[in-house]
Amino acid sequence: HWATSLAVPRLNVVAAYGRRPDRVRSFLQWSGVAAGYTNLMEMLDREALDGVVLATPYDVLAEHFCQVLVHPTRPRAVLVEKPLAYDGDQARRVAAALSHSPIPVVVGYNRRYRNHWVAAFEWMKDVRVGAVHHAVCQWSEDYSRRFSENTAVPTFRADLTRHSRGTLLDSGSHLLDALLWLTGATVTQVYAAVQWASSGGDVGAGLVYRDWE
């Protein structure tokens, strides 16, 4: 999100956090941002932040998110990368933190702001379309291989112990966001079938929406 954030005229990026000092120093040199931290709590203590963008690796993202929400000098708003949780324990901790937080939170499901998604949303609200009773979404790719073989410097997404463990929770979670947003549906039942790649991650994300009423 950095390149986009720095290009917004009304947005003043005042500080950055990272776990690796060398990466923080490199970012400050590249961006011109004044302050850099390797301790998230220290940044929140020292900087008067209106908002925070959280895009740390998925193995620590939920922990960082909960820390920001309960911090005494928490920001006025949070934009957080997805998926915000990738197991039941993380999801429960995140839900508990959100239930006690007064600040607005936006999760980075950005597809709904793209023109063709907006057009689909408006089309589905048309009374001539009627109620949607069945919808199928499919997303397939070897996620860890994509980020280890097709990049000059492999990112954390190439490490199955640090990212969301495959396609369904990462890119494929956009499908879930799309189904819920476009249909206005509430999840009542969940079923999953996983196809595994040799890299150890899942390679296929398929979601089906059915309205049995």
XYZ file of all heavy atoms in Angstrom, residues 1 7 16 31 33 40 45 77 79 85 90 92 103 120 126 129 154 160 168 185:
143
model
N 0.812 -1.214 0.000
C 0.000 0.000 0.000
C 0.850 1.270 0.000
O 0.307 2.365 -0.095
C -0.918 0.022 1.226
C -1.863 -1.130 1.304
N -2.929 -1.284 0.426
C -1.898 -2.199 2.119
C -3.572 -2.393 0.726
N -2.974 -2.968 1.742
N 1.292 8.613 -2.728
C 0.841 9.398 -3.877
C -0.431 10.187 -3.599
O -0.853 10.987 -4.434
C 0.621 8.481 -5.079
N 6.810 4.746 9.863
C 6.694 3.394 9.325
C 7.220 2.397 10.353
O 8.157 2.693 11.104
C 7.486 3.266 8.024
N 11.389 6.408 0.600
C 10.117 7.129 0.690
C 10.254 8.565 1.155
O 9.398 9.407 0.846
C 9.184 6.391 1.652
O 9.716 6.418 2.974
N 9.948 9.261 4.286
C 9.217 9.301 5.555
C 10.216 9.569 6.683
O 11.330 9.026 6.695
C 8.461 7.980 5.781
C 7.851 7.928 7.183
C 7.368 7.816 4.729
N 6.277 -1.819 17.281
C 4.977 -1.229 16.954
C 4.426 -0.403 18.104
O 3.876 0.687 17.909
C 3.998 -2.333 16.579
C 2.585 -1.902 16.188
C 2.618 -0.975 14.977
C 1.710 -3.122 15.908
N 3.153 4.853 20.803
C 3.391 5.724 21.962
C 3.887 7.101 21.538
O 3.486 8.117 22.109
C 4.426 5.086 22.899
C 3.887 3.885 23.655
O 2.663 3.789 23.808
O 4.706 3.038 24.076
N -8.613 5.455 13.005
C -9.111 4.480 12.030
C -7.968 3.531 11.670
O -6.790 3.872 11.792
C -9.644 5.176 10.775
N -6.795 0.639 8.554
C -6.936 -0.154 7.335
C -6.021 -1.349 7.504
O -4.813 -1.182 7.713
C -6.537 0.651 6.102
C -6.380 -0.145 4.786
C -7.704 -0.766 4.358
C -5.821 0.739 3.679
N -7.465 -13.158 9.842
C -7.231 -14.329 10.682
C -7.265 -15.564 9.798
O -7.981 -15.590 8.798
C -8.298 -14.433 11.771
N -7.348 -17.218 16.180
C -7.106 -15.845 15.732
C -8.420 -15.121 15.492
O -8.571 -13.954 15.868
C -6.269 -15.848 14.459
C -4.801 -16.115 14.665
C -3.996 -15.830 13.408
O -4.563 -15.572 12.346
N -2.687 -15.875 13.514
N -11.329 -15.574 16.832
C -11.995 -15.228 18.092
C -11.322 -14.055 18.786
O -12.002 -13.182 19.356
C -12.040 -16.463 19.003
C -13.113 -17.480 18.594
C -13.193 -18.624 19.572
N -12.105 -19.568 19.382
C -12.153 -20.597 18.554
N -13.246 -20.810 17.839
N -11.139 -21.431 18.440
N -13.231 2.443 17.219
C -12.700 3.050 16.000
C -13.120 2.254 14.770
O -13.284 1.034 14.824
C -11.161 3.183 16.051
C -10.498 1.804 16.084
C -10.741 4.008 17.244
C -8.986 1.864 16.037
N -21.539 -4.804 -11.396
C -22.230 -6.036 -11.031
C -23.137 -5.821 -9.827
O -24.260 -6.337 -9.775
C -21.212 -7.144 -10.737
N -30.977 -4.451 -9.411
C -32.077 -4.194 -10.331
C -33.213 -5.179 -10.044
O -33.003 -6.401 -9.989
C -31.587 -4.361 -11.775
C -32.585 -3.815 -12.787
O -33.802 -4.041 -12.611
O -32.154 -3.164 -13.753
N -33.689 -8.363 -12.098
C -32.821 -9.528 -11.900
C -33.470 -10.524 -10.954
O -33.399 -11.745 -11.153
C -31.447 -9.086 -11.350
C -30.583 -10.289 -11.012
C -30.750 -8.186 -12.362
N 11.943 -13.219 -3.136
C 10.746 -13.875 -2.602
C 10.195 -13.138 -1.381
O 10.950 -12.701 -0.514
C 11.254 -15.276 -2.222
C 12.448 -15.488 -3.090
C 13.084 -14.134 -3.233
N 5.137 -20.901 3.571
C 3.834 -21.403 4.019
C 3.644 -21.294 5.527
O 2.523 -21.385 6.013
C 3.658 -22.852 3.586
C 3.500 -23.067 2.075
C 3.416 -24.548 1.757
C 2.263 -22.359 1.561
N -7.129 -20.183 -0.831
C -8.479 -19.921 -0.335
C -8.533 -18.702 0.577
O -9.346 -17.797 0.381
C -9.026 -21.143 0.397
C -10.431 -20.975 0.989
C -11.434 -20.623 -0.100
C -10.857 -22.225 1.733
N -25.923 -11.879 1.525
C -26.237 -13.123 2.214
C -25.583 -13.182 3.590
O -24.611 -12.494 3.877
C -25.780 -14.322 1.382
